[in-house]
Amino acid sequence: KAFRGRNSLRLGAASPLASNEAASASDVSMVQFNLAASSVENVRVTAATLKASGSGNDVTGVARVKLYKDVNFNGRLDGADVQLGAPAGLTYAADDGTVAFTGLADVVNAGGVTSYLVAYDFGGAATPGQTFAAAITGGALVSAVGVTSAATIVPGGTAMGAAKTIQTTGTLTVSLGAANPLATNEAA
């Protein structure tokens, strides 16, 4: 009897935390997710569908959604990462809608893990206080096939990114330094 591989989806260990972002910020890392293949066979990922959420309107607030292979597993978009799917990025057609990256051919090696990163370019239309987040869920929203068996592989799991809040002004935090002198009585 032939065994076919399996694939699981989970939030990456270095997935970006919640943060404040400018309404026109580019290349904002939204969520890192990992796909892990069983030891049975290599698995080819052919499509991934992302879901938007948050209080902001994704149609007007998000100019582009991009998918990258997070080569160094650090959860931040950098020069080591390889863009997958549409080079110009995709756009949401509806608020809290989905975008589908199709035509992918990325292989997760048997017994291995591959990390992916979703990045947004904000379009400048969001207002302060609005939030944006991205998620990916296994099942029908990730399409994959076994490289050897050609069987459909349906991963389970979910990866929900932390919300990004639009802010128009920067912040500055004041705190005591590590070598702050203690209070003393001094003669006048």
Side-chain angles (χ1 to χ4, degrees), residues 52-125:
S53 64
S55 64
N57 185 327
D58 303 292
V59 176
T60 58
V62 180
R64 278 177 291 290
V65 183
K66 298 173 279 186
L67 178 64
Y68 293 87
K69 186 172 187 173
D70 189 5
V71 176
N72 55 15
F73 288 79
N74 70 355
R76 292 186 312 265
L77 186 58
D78 56 35
D81 300 325
V82 177
Q83 189 172 358
L84 303 174
L90 300 175
T91 58
Y92 289 110
D95 185 30
D96 294 337
T98 61
V99 292
F101 289 91
T102 59
L104 304 177
D106 198 55
V107 174
V108 180
N109 292 324
V113 176
T114 299
S115 184
Y116 299 91
L117 188 63
V118 176
Y120 278 8
D121 288 347
F122 289 108

Side-chain angles (χ1 to χ4, degrees), residues 104-172:
L104 304 177
D106 198 55
V107 174
V108 180
N109 292 324
V113 176
T114 299
S115 184
Y116 299 91
L117 188 63
V118 176
Y120 278 8
D121 288 347
F122 289 108
T127 58
Q130 289 183 329
T131 60
F132 294 86
I136 185 161
T137 304
L141 297 182
V142 176
S143 298
V145 295
V147 171
T148 304
S149 68
T152 299
I153 308 292
V154 180
T158 298
M160 175 69 186
K164 308 300 181 194
T165 303
I166 300 301
Q167 191 168 346
T168 57
T169 58
T171 60
L172 181 64

